[in-house]
């Protein structure tokens, strides 16, 4: 088969997949239990980053649509949803999760087409989203207040109560997976939600909402697609939105905090990262190289907890680098719909341009490009936003490529000589989402875990996001924790009841 025929085959494969995934779905906003067009009638287009062609047109919602959705959510909170007990809420959430599971293949295909991630990985992430919804449905049953012993003839107890309408803004890199981190705890604790999905990848959020029809009462779950300034800003500024949650980059997080301040609205923010992986001289090199490759090349590096700075002890640097280059070569770049593809394209043109600009900057700053740095030399992939696994050596911690979040498959190798230098380099960053430690010495691992300024520390692995394990950051990486029981506290407020008891009659 010549290149032209192969190239055409990829395009035809994706066109068929788009037709299959979208054949029976109308991608409208989901407001008050029904699919709607934007109030203006305008739409925007989401595209397949492999062939740069349209997947679907989506309503371009504005402040009027946000107002309608918030009103619906408030009415539901004050009405039917507010009258439902925790056991029934849990049952309904689990029923919705089962409905999503029944449509796993369609959701996975939509996610792959919309984001460019390998189909196998996309389906696994759909499974993860379903698992988180069920997890929160189940643990909410035991979430509540407590009795507090006090002196005197009083009974003191607390109870946890929902805020009401929660505004949630979700990112483009893990669309349905990270949506589940927010909508799960919000609904499980009795709130209602208005979600603004990323305009770049809104399809699974919209379809998942449609699959709640007949399960969740009208107005409980609302999904309003649109651009940040037209839909996101009105949501964060709305006085009836009593809780906000956002995942995305830190400058947008600042803007959301400022908007929230006007209404004294509590926020949960999961922001950026520039996470270090410290490889100590006693490390198992294969373990280190595999963890490093997974930590930067999974999802084409578009992960907030990516291990994007590898801090190597000088004694192990040469051996590690050779093994790491081998593992990078194993991350096969190709069509996400083909079995065996490990890395698809970047999710959109803007991200491609950002990543390639950083690669050019790294060379200008004096770093040594060991591999990658450009699109694959494969005519079959020329229409997509592909970048090869890229590794820079001779990086100093003051370079911009070592300090700024690139959000692509670009790794920086740095060198240290002793423990104190490694910890200083690891912490000399504005972010503090994750840190990774590779060592065979348990005492050293515990010490490093204590000294690294980050919300998540993993030892000898690049972890997934396990049910019940808190996830969130220090410093500019955010506020609050997701994925765990304590997340339920972020979606409820404490009421204290202090009751005088009469003295008993003897």
């Amino acid at each position: 088969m010549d290149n032209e025929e192969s190239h055409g085959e990829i395009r035809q494969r994706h066109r068929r997949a788009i037709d299959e995934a979208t054949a029976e779905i109308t991608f409208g906003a989901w407001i008050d239990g029904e699919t709607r067009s934007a109030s203006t009638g305008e739409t925007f287009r989401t595209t397949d980053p492999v062939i740069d062609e349209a997947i679907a047109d989506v309503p371009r919602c504005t402040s009027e649509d946000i107002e309608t959705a918030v009103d619906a959510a408030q009415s539901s909170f004050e009405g039917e949803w507010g009258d439902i007990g925790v056991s029934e809420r849990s049952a309904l959430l689990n029923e919705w999760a089962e409905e999503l599971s029944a449509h796993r293949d369609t959701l996975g295909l939509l996610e792959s087409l919309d984001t460019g991630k390998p189909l196998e990985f996309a389906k696994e992430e759909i499974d993860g989203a379903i698992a988180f919804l069920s997890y929160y449905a189940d643990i909410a049953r035991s979430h509540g207040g407590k009795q507090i012993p006090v002196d005197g003839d009083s009974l003191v107890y607390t109870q946890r109560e929902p805020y009401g309408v929660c505004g949630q803004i979700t990112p483009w890199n893990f669309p349905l997976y990270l949506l589940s981190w927010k909508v799960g705890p919000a609904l499980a604790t009795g709130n209602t939600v208005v979600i603004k999905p990323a305009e770049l990848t809104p399809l699974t959020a919209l379809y998942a909402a449609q699959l709640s029809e007949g399960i969740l009462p009208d107005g409980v779950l609302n999904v309003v697609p649109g651009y940040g300034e037209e839909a996101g800003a009105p949501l964060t500024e709305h006085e009836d939105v009593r809780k906000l949650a956002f995942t995305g980059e830190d400058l947008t997080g600042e803007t959301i905090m400022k908007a929230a301040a006007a209404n004294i609205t509590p926020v949960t923010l999961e922001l950026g990262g520039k996470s270090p992986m410290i490889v100590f001289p006693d490390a198992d090199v294969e373990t280190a190289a595999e963890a490093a490759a997974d930590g930067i090349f999974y999802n084409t590096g578009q992960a907030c907890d990516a291990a994007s700075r590898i801090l190597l002890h000088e004694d192990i640097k040469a051996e590690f680098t050779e093994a790491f280059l081998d593992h990078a070569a194993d991350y096969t770049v190709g069509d996400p719909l083909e079995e065996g593809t490990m890395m698809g394209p970047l999710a959109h043109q803007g991200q491609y341009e950002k990543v390639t600009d950083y690669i050019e900057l790294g060379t200008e700053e004096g770093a040594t490009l060991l591999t990658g740095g450009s699109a694959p030399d494969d005519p079959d992939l020329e229409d997509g936003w592909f970048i090869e696994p890229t590794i820079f050596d001779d990086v100093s911690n003051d370079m911009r490529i070592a300090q700024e979040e690139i959000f692509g498959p670009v790794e920086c190798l740095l060198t240290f000589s002793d423990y104190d230098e490694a910890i200083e380099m690891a912490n000399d960053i504005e972010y503090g989402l994750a840190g990774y430690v590779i060592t065979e010495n348990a005492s050293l691992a515990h010490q490093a875990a204590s000294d690294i300024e980050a919300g998540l520390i993993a030892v000898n692995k690049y972890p997934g996001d396990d049910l019940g394990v808190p996830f969130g950051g220090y410093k500019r990486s955010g506020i609050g924790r997701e994925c765990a029981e304590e997340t339920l506290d972020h979606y409820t407020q404490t009421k204290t009841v202090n009751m005088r008891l009469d003295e008993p009659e003897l």
Side-chain angles (χ1 to χ4, degrees), residues 324-345:
F324 184 42
L325 286 166
D326 289 341
H327 279 277
D330 289 338
Y331 261 79
T332 307
V333 179
D335 180 1
L337 300 184
E338 284 193 295
E339 187 176 351
T341 295
M342 294 288 288
M343 215 173 84

Side-chain angles (χ1 to χ4, degrees), residues 177-304:
Y177 188 53
L178 296 188
L179 180 147
S180 73
W181 291 13
K182 293 174 172 53
V183 71
L187 296 188
T189 50
N191 301 279
T192 55
V193 298
V194 178
I195 301 164
K196 206 292 282 186
E199 63 270 18
L200 294 162
T201 57
L203 299 184
T204 51
L206 296 172
Y207 186 44
Q210 293 177 23
L211 293 174
S212 73
E213 184 176 11
I215 299 173
L216 300 178
D218 295 347
V220 170
L221 172 67
N222 305 274
V223 181
V224 186
Y227 292 99
E229 63 274 16
E230 297 174 351
L235 180 61
T236 61
E237 295 165 359
H238 202 293
E239 62 181 7
D240 291 332
V241 172
R242 301 312 310 148
K243 162 72 182 179
L244 287 167
F246 167 75
T247 294
E249 57 96 21
D250 57 325
L251 294 179
T252 305
E254 284 186 25
T255 301
I256 289 171
M257 284 192 73
K258 291 174 182 176
N263 295 315
I264 319 296
T265 305
V267 297
T268 298
L269 302 176
E270 198 270 282
L271 307 176
K274 193 71 177 177
S275 302
M277 176 177 286
I278 304 176
V279 184
F280 287 104
D282 70 320
D284 180 89
V285 170
E286 280 302 310
T287 296
E290 182 178 1
D294 291 343
I296 192 61
F297 301 133
Y298 183 82
N299 205 45
T300 319
Q302 299 166 128
C304 52

